[in-house]
Amino acid sequence: MKRRQFIQTAGVGLAASAVAAPAIAQSSPEVKWRLTSSFPKSLDTIYGGAEYMAKQVAEMTEGKFQIQVFSAGEIVPALQALDATQNGTVEACHTVSYYYVGKDPTFAIAASVPFGLNARQQNSWLFQAGGNELFNEFYKKYNVVGAPCGNTGTQMGGWFRKEIKTSADLSGLKMRIGGIAGQVLQKLGSVPQQIGGGDIYPALEKGTIDAAEWVGPYDDEKLGFNKVAPYYYYPGWWEGGPTVHAFFNQEKFNALPKHYQAILLNACTAANTWMQARYDMQNPGALKRLVGAGVQLRPFPQEVMEACLKASNELYAEISAKNEDFKKAINAMIAYRNEEYLWFQVAEFTYDNFMIRARARG
């Protein structure tokens, strides 16, 4: 009797499995996407963020959701990644939203603006204080969904062919710089140029530009900027903690099963952490090598910083007067920044300053 009962029970279980299996298969379809990056493969960390995200998606779906990553220029040029996603040429892209200030200056705030948030504050604002929701409401106008998918930490101020001693030295300077920061420098007489990463070196070498900023020591060393410009300035006051975004075509994202959407967004969050941690690991050694090779490492003079801050605040007021989306976002960012620095100065800065002095003492 027990044997017959076991066989009957097992038969019911097998039948249930046969019914359940197709339902599971139907909810986890085979999906293949293409993602275009704004970065060359040689920049393994910023480009690698998209690869890391795609790998996580594949692993979490047992290979059923595949995202093929293409470097800048393989499908579209570096600065057309968002356009390709918006119009459905590709399903996704990995880029920095301030590249698209020509569409609307609000794009810049989602990534980084002059004298904005540092990396930790940026992540806090986006993930915990409504930033992602604010920007995804804005992105609907462009048929995309955005997700933070990387951060470089505070960037360097860039490479200059001549010294910068006062803000007057910025006048007439042709500099590769993206986003709102270019407009700030324009107020001080500079001539900003927006150039993709792979095209910066030849422009600097030929003298087409006088200065260029990119990310930080690890990437800058790879791109060889020290060979054509001797002065390396810091900090990149325009990028205190810039977010690199993954953008998804709105219709393609909405068509995904809900658990695929969740996997995709969680993979982006993992890549966001991976990228900053990797840059923090790589930059110290690269900076030592650059200085050892004769690079002139310089801080921007205080007068230059103050002039740039003044110009930034003037620009924000000017844009806000004619762009409600920008006004809403910049006011939210500034309010959050002011609260965050109240807190950061209590513990973080005190601890960091102590450790800097302790290291100097040996």
Side-chain angles (χ1 to χ4, degrees):
M1 286 295 294
K2 289 182 179 179
R3 182 172 178 273
R4 284 198 299 272
Q5 286 176 340
F6 172 78
I7 292 170
Q8 288 172 348
T9 303
V12 170
L14 289 170
S17 297
V19 172
I24 293 170
Q26 288 171 9
S27 67
S28 298
E30 299 277 349
V31 176
K32 293 186 184 296
W33 275 15
R34 298 193 304 167
L35 178 150
T36 184
S37 172
S38 285
F39 315 108
K41 289 181 181 178
S42 60
L43 299 180
D44 60 303
T45 302
I46 197 164
Y47 174 83
E51 291 187 316
Y52 183 88
M53 179 270 285
K55 183 173 182 288
Q56 297 300 306
V57 168
E59 289 180 353
M60 286 190 278
T61 60
E62 297 183 328
K64 290 189 174 181
F65 186 0
Q66 296 280 342
I67 301 174
Q68 187 176 4
V69 180
F70 294 86
S71 65
E74 288 189 290
I75 297 178
V76 295
L79 303 183
Q80 293 178 23
L82 181 68
D83 302 77
T85 307
Q86 182 181 349
N87 64 31
T89 300
V90 294
E91 290 80 10
C93 67
H94 190 234
T95 187
V96 186
S97 61
Y98 59 48
Y99 289 157
Y100 309 100
V101 294
K103 297 177 182 293
D104 190 308
T106 309
F107 274 102
I109 307 169
S112 187
V113 291
F115 304 100
L117 303 170
N118 68 25
R120 278 181 53 187
Q121 294 164 354
Q122 180 82 352
N123 285 329
S124 174
W125 182 42
L126 293 177
F127 286 105
Q128 297 294 327
N132 280 334
E133 291 79 6
L134 185 156
F135 287 112
N136 271 312
E137 189 62 33
F138 168 73
Y139 294 146
K140 285 179 183 178
K141 298 180 180 181
Y142 297 90
N143 195 37
V144 294
V145 176
C149 193
N151 197 303
T152 66
T154 302
Q155 294 191 1
M156 293 293 283
W159 298 86
F160 293 74
R161 294 163 66 95
K162 65 175 185 178
E163 283 190 86
I164 303 298
K165 296 179 179 178
T166 72
S167 56
D169 293 327
L170 298 173
S171 183
L173 188 84
K174 293 174 295 198
M175 183 172 181
R176 183 275 172 196
I177 188 166
I180 293 287
Q183 296 178 43
V184 172
L185 287 176
Q186 201 167 18
K187 277 182 161 289
L188 297 169
S190 296
V191 183
Q193 312 279 326
Q194 186 145 288
I195 303 171
D199 299 320
I200 299 172
Y201 182 95
L204 198 56
E205 182 182 36
K206 294 173 184 175
T208 307
I209 55 176
D210 306 307
E213 61 83 31
W214 180 243
V215 175
Y218 180 70
D219 280 357
D220 293 358
E221 181 186 36
K222 276 180 168 286
L223 292 171
F225 296 148
N226 57 301
K227 299 172 185 175
V228 287
Y231 299 103
Y232 198 22
Y233 278 89
Y234 65 92
W237 42 264
W238 48 88
E239 295 188 81
T243 296
V244 181
H245 271 81
F247 287 109
F248 316 117
N249 178 276
Q250 183 84 60
E251 287 81 12
K252 295 293 184 180
F253 181 83
N254 290 343
L256 291 173
K258 292 296 183 184
H259 65 295
Y260 275 18
Q261 292 179 4
I263 285 169
L264 183 59
L265 294 177
N266 277 282
C268 287
T269 301
N272 195 56
T273 302
W274 176 88
M275 186 185 292
Q276 187 179 347
R278 191 161 179 82
Y279 271 124
D280 283 345
M281 179 270 291
Q282 292 165 322
N283 280 329
L287 185 59
K288 285 181 181 178
R289 290 191 296 272
L290 288 168
V291 172
V295 165
Q296 299 294 307
L297 186 64
R298 306 283 172 86
F300 281 122
Q302 183 70 17
E303 187 270 336
V304 171
M305 296 286 284
E306 294 289 349
C308 292
L309 175 59
K310 182 175 182 290
S312 298
N313 290 333
E314 289 173 357
L315 180 66
Y316 299 156
E318 291 166 8
I319 300 174
S320 293
K322 53 191 176 185
N323 186 317
E324 282 299 318
D325 286 329
F326 183 91
K327 181 179 179 180
K328 181 180 179 181
I330 199 70
N331 286 348
M333 186 281 291
I334 290 172
Y336 198 72
R337 179 195 67 188
N338 292 344
E339 285 296 308
E340 284 292 289
Y341 275 108
L342 263 178
W343 154 239
F344 267 64
Q345 71 184 4
V346 172
E348 292 287 340
F349 292 167
T350 304
Y351 177 76
D352 288 344
N353 288 336
F354 174 82
M355 291 306 298
I356 289 168
R357 291 194 298 270
R359 179 190 174 279
R361 292 196 304 268

